[in-house]
Amino acid sequence: MGITTEHSQVQQLLESHFGQFEPELISKLAEHCVIRDFEADQQLMRPGQYFKSTMLIVEGSVKIYREDQDGGEFFMYHLGAGDACALSMICATREEQSQISAKAIEPSKALLVPIALMDELMTGYKTWYYFVLETYRSRFEELLEVVDSIAFKSMDERIEFYLKNQRKLSHSDELPLTHQQIATDMNSSREVISRLLKKMEQRGMVRLGRNTITILF
């Protein structure tokens, strides 16, 4: 792929998903960003990794989570088109190791922004500065929602909250989810999740299919 072609593609992706950026910023990013494609289940970040760039998601969906020593997962939040990972921005800027994991949950595409640009972008482009602040705020609020869900809600309420977030992310009532995927994200067991989903189906809240859940509420 020629440089001119990729430059044009990056610019189009930025204009489509980050229209709040000023034209000069889009031109600057288009000169330096690289397009990266990820397959479903491919790792984007791992604990202990140093970042050479931060990512702007332009297609698909990415799960951000923590892993314990036994491989258990604690779901934090999802990223979709138009989002960036605040934690990767912090680690990239401060040249610190990642403390989180990230995985594409469907075929996804991202623009990689070199860390060498971060100081210039923050001081030279107001729309980037405000975008970073908004990214920090949004991710912090999402983490608070997760903490509140765990601390103050029953498992029934937590799974309802989880499904609503999945619907918001996918823009669809039909979710391609297995019971095990939900159990992993919610740090629970498949048996518990299956029992709760069955109760929800009996109450007319969801319709369960083979590896799909249709939200009816």
Side-chain angles (χ1 to χ4, degrees), residues 25 33-34 47 57 62 64 80 94 96 98 121 127 172:
L25 174 57
C33 285
V34 175
I57 307 300
V62 175
I64 307 297
R94 300 178 64 179
E96 294 180 346
S98 171
L121 296 178
T127 54
S172 174

Side-chain angles (χ1 to χ4, degrees), residues 18 44-46 51 53-58 62-65 76-93 98-103 110-111 113 118 128 131-140 142-143:
F18 299 91
L44 283 69
M45 308 177 200
R46 291 181 175 85
F51 293 98
S53 58
T54 190
M55 289 183 293
L56 305 178
I57 307 300
V58 293
V62 175
K63 179 174 76 171
I64 307 297
Y65 61 99
M76 298 172 67
Y77 52 81
H78 282 110
L79 300 175
D83 290 333
C85 179
L87 294 175
S88 72
M89 285 180 167
I90 294 170
C91 290
T93 303
S98 171
Q99 301 296 318
I100 60 170
S101 297
K103 181 189 297 182
L111 302 179
V113 183
M118 295 297 285
W128 179 265
F131 171 72
V132 171
L133 291 183
E134 177 61 21
T135 296
Y136 291 165
R137 186 195 64 79
S138 297
R139 300 294 87 82
F140 181 69
E142 288 171 351
L143 283 174

